[in-house]
Amino acid sequence: MSIRLKLIGIVTVALLIPLLMALFYIRQLGERHYLHQQGILHLSIAEEHADFMQSGIQYEFNHLRNWVTMGQLSEQLELLPIPPLNMENVRQIESQWPKLSDQDEPLRSLLSNPLSDFIQIFHRINPVFEEILVTDQHGRLIASTNRTSDYWQADEAWWTNTIKHPAGSGILHNIHYDKSAGILAFDGSFPIYNTRGDLLGTLKSSLHATNLLQQQAPKPWNESITRDIVFPDGTLLLRLNPKVQASSIKPIRAEAMQQLIAHPETAQILECQTETTSLAVAVPIKSGNNLEMLYMVVHHSLKDVMAPINAIIRQLTIGGAVLILVFFGVSYYLSILWFARPIDTLRRTAQSMSKHIHLQEEGQLQEARHSLRNATQQLIELKSIRSKDELKDLAIDFSKMGSRVLNFHRQLERKLTEKSEELNA
């Protein structure tokens, strides 16, 4: 291998080492740090959304409770004529209830009495409450904003739990499917007392879960980050990204959801959806009795998350490759100018002198004279070396030594010629 290739190889390796070290640092340490920072960002988004959801649910619950405890509802309830409890009549109405139309008694009178008109006003002002119904102290339905699935409510768990609560309190139930309203809802139920402290009945209202949660969601600053409200099994309740078409919405994989629940509030890299690896985090949305029935899941395609880092690596790789090519060209030119040419001149001079000596030792005088002229010419070329370094010093010393050797051979050749002439004479 020639010396110029060795020099170029050394320069190339010297340039490649820092480039590879930089790429390794960015890929290993930089990528890890960036993922950690992105995980913190995703967690803050999920916590912010979960707080907004919880606050919104609690706000509407408190709003309904304040309306119930203001006293006007109890006044309207006391003015309503309620017949004495007759279980035979209750069973008869309950059996006929699924077949009744809005124009049939007793459903017609129940939906159009003064108490129903009163709760209808609240319902129109607060459309987030999908359904509001009122029962008497026995559990009979006496007023409602719309047709309900049952007439007799005393056998329902919500009713038996609600009448145990004192005035001014209530129960916020976890999300469930409300059969009569036909929606997923948060139910709020309250006992209704008069000013004397007597139990008059109960009120239950269904908060439309998807509408409420969608209203409470903060506006996204990055629409590529997916925000989902899901159940613990991964079933999707609501996707908050406004530009996502409903047909393209895919549920969270159950295995991924279980892993997120097992490591709460910790960003993880996993396959949230089929063939889509994402950076994801899950934060519980607590409601009702604080059971974690819903989760705010924020996930972002790992490819999109790592796009800035990959762009930096790509730019650094391209820039480094261009610099290496530039330095390769420069080093190739300088190696020829500063090293290869002077060394090559020294090599050719040494070869010319070695050839001259070899020819003279073998007695080939005619060829030796010709090689002597070549060697002398090569020594003259040594003076063209202007590297101003050790090569310049070596060329000067080699020129002096070579000149002495050639002069010695000239003198030797001249004396041999003179002796030969004397012998011939």
Side-chain angles (χ1 to χ4, degrees), residues 230-257:
V230 301
F231 291 95
D233 62 353
T235 303
L236 186 66
L237 171 64
L238 180 65
R239 176 156 293 174
L240 300 175
N241 291 47
K243 292 187 177 180
V244 177
Q245 299 295 328
S247 58
S248 65
I249 293 178
K250 298 179 181 179
I252 303 293
R253 295 176 65 248
E255 298 84 355
M257 193 63 209

Side-chain angles (χ1 to χ4, degrees), residues 393-410:
D393 298 336
L394 178 61
I396 293 173
D397 294 339
F398 193 86
S399 178
K400 291 178 180 179
M401 180 186 66
S403 297
R404 290 175 183 176
V405 170
L406 293 181
N407 287 334
F408 172 76
H409 280 272
R410 290 191 190 97

Side-chain angles (χ1 to χ4, degrees), residues 2-13:
S2 66
I3 190 170
R4 70 183 67 182
L5 292 179
K6 292 181 180 179
L7 290 172
I8 293 171
I10 292 172
V11 173
T12 304
V13 171

Side-chain angles (χ1 to χ4, degrees), residues 256-274:
M257 193 63 209
Q258 292 304 313
Q259 189 171 346
L260 289 173
I261 293 175
H263 302 85
E265 302 182 3
T266 302
Q268 300 177 66
I269 298 175
L270 41 80
E271 194 175 289
C272 284
Q273 298 171 338
T274 306

Side-chain angles (χ1 to χ4, degrees), residues 280-313:
V281 64
V283 174
I285 301 174
K286 297 180 179 180
S287 62
N289 54 9
N290 288 332
L291 292 177
E292 298 173 358
M293 294 295 293
L294 289 176
Y295 286 84
M296 185 71 236
V297 178
V298 175
H299 57 101
H300 195 187
S301 169
L302 189 62
K303 180 181 179 181
D304 295 336
V305 171
M306 298 307 299
I309 287 291
N310 292 331
I312 292 174
I313 293 175

